[in-house]
Amino acid sequence: MDIGLIGGTGDIGKGFAIRWGKNHRINVGSREEERAKRAAKRYREKLEKKDFSYCDIEGYKNSEAIRESDVVILSLPFEVITDTLDSLKKHFSDQIVISPVVPMYKSEGVFECRPKCAAKVIRNYLPNSIDLVSAFHSVPAGKLADLNKSLNCDVVVCGDNENAKEVVFELIQDINGLRPLEGGSLEVSTLCESLTPLLLNIAIRNDIEDPSIKFMDNK
Ligand SMILES: NC(=O)c1ccc[n+]([C@@H]2O[C@H](COP(=O)([O-])OP(=O)(O)OC[C@H]3O[C@@H](n4cnc5c(N)ncnc54)[C@H](OP(=O)(O)O)[C@@H]3O)[C@@H](O)[C@H]2O)c1
């Protein structure tokens, strides 16, 4: 599969590139092509050190990364989403778009969630032909980008199109240690997004590294 990472030079983009770069073609996107190419080279080198000598990771401007891809991940801070999508929306055709975006900010040492659902904001800025799926909000970027660390997290998936969700389920299962869970419609995304500031506040106060979620089944 061709996976485009918009803002793929950042923290979570790096993790996606390194985990999916083993068996997918990765198009790292950036506002600056050179920056994307440098990041792609770093990601390739990281995988090559782990004996994945063939990996197809290239850097592009964000617009080109979208056009080259079947699935596009919006690896961007919430604050820049509307302006960025406004300028990029003409480059989408029939991709599946994944939003890991959390509308979070920090105030006086406390992480808080804005009273907005990132997925709903994004839905309004994408063409109707695009299926939007919301996922990965509680997957820690540092751990995702470190192949020496094993992940043991659940990823709640929300969206209105079952086929698109199925594709995202498969992509999640491609990453060792991640378990996809059905979350419901895109409407539910706001609840998943609000878990991230909660996790981070608890992590800081309890000295927990790379917090994530795992739903227990006590049957
Ligand atoms: N970090 C995590 O652990 C984590 C976990 C789960 C979900 N998330 C979510 O994933 C998203 C990305 O997080 P992140 O930590 O990867 O973010 P980040 O590293 O702060 O930024 C990602 C990329 O966004 C681009 N960017 C920055 N300012 C921009 C602007 N004004 N206009 C357009 N692009 C801009 C940059 O790419 P270029 O400069 O190359 O264009 C940057 O590398 C966020 O919404 C976050 O809530 C993060």
Side-chain angles (χ1 to χ4, degrees):
M1 190 158 272
D2 275 40
I3 301 175
L5 304 172
I6 306 311
T9 54
D11 293 339
I12 193 102
K14 177 182 178 184
F16 287 135
I18 283 166
R19 295 283 173 168
W20 281 325
K22 295 176 188 174
N23 42 10
H24 295 280
R25 180 161 184 260
I26 307 296
N27 304 312
V28 178
S30 168
R31 287 167 292 178
E32 287 177 40
E33 189 176 2
E34 272 317 303
R35 196 165 137 75
K37 287 192 183 305
R38 284 198 303 275
K41 183 167 179 278
R42 284 197 305 277
Y43 303 161
R44 279 197 306 271
E45 286 169 354
K46 207 167 161 107
L47 275 174
E48 280 160 9
K49 274 194 200 137
K50 288 280 172 190
D51 282 344
F52 293 100
S53 50
Y54 177 76
C55 55
D56 196 353
I57 306 178
E58 299 295 339
Y60 300 96
K61 276 191 82 100
N62 282 329
S63 52
E64 190 65 15
I66 293 169
R67 285 199 297 268
E68 291 283 323
S69 303
D70 310 304
V71 172
V72 171
I73 324 283
L74 301 176
S75 314
L76 296 166
F78 176 74
E79 295 71 25
V80 310
I81 276 289
T82 53
D83 284 352
T84 306
L85 286 181
D86 218 16
S87 67
L88 292 174
K89 62 185 171 200
K90 59 179 174 290
H91 302 286
F92 287 95
S93 50
D94 56 357
Q95 293 86 350
I96 292 171
V97 172
I98 303 177
S99 167
V101 178
V102 178
M104 187 176 75
Y105 66 100
K106 201 172 182 182
S107 169
E108 295 176 9
V110 179
F111 288 98
E112 299 195 31
C113 218
R114 291 176 204 283
K116 279 185 175 171
C117 171
K120 280 195 211 160
V121 171
I122 291 165
R123 177 68 277 170
N124 287 333
Y125 276 82
L126 288 173
N128 289 337
S129 57
I130 296 297
D131 288 316
L132 176 64
V133 177
S134 181
F136 296 107
H137 308 96
S138 323
V139 176
K143 211 169 179 185
L144 194 64
D146 187 345
L147 290 173
N148 294 322
K149 290 193 175 166
S150 56
L151 295 155
N152 182 22
C153 335
D154 287 336
V155 180
V156 181
V157 180
C158 301
D160 296 332
N161 181 298
E162 294 308 318
N163 294 335
K165 276 161 89 174
E166 186 58 38
V167 171
V168 177
F169 258 62
E170 285 170 18
L171 284 174
I172 293 166
Q173 280 160 341
D174 279 348
I175 300 178
N176 220 356
L178 294 189
R179 178 177 68 161
L181 292 178
E182 168 60 38
S185 70
L186 208 61
E187 196 73 26
V188 182
S189 180
T190 190
L191 299 176
C192 302
E193 293 167 17
S194 65
L195 282 178
T196 306
L198 173 69
L199 278 179
L200 294 178
N201 288 326
I202 290 172
I204 288 170
R205 282 156 188 75
N206 296 277
D207 197 21
I208 295 170
E209 202 180 327
D210 291 330
S212 58
I213 51 168
K214 188 84 190 161
F215 291 87
M216 300 292 289
D217 184 343
N218 290 316
K219 274 204 285 263

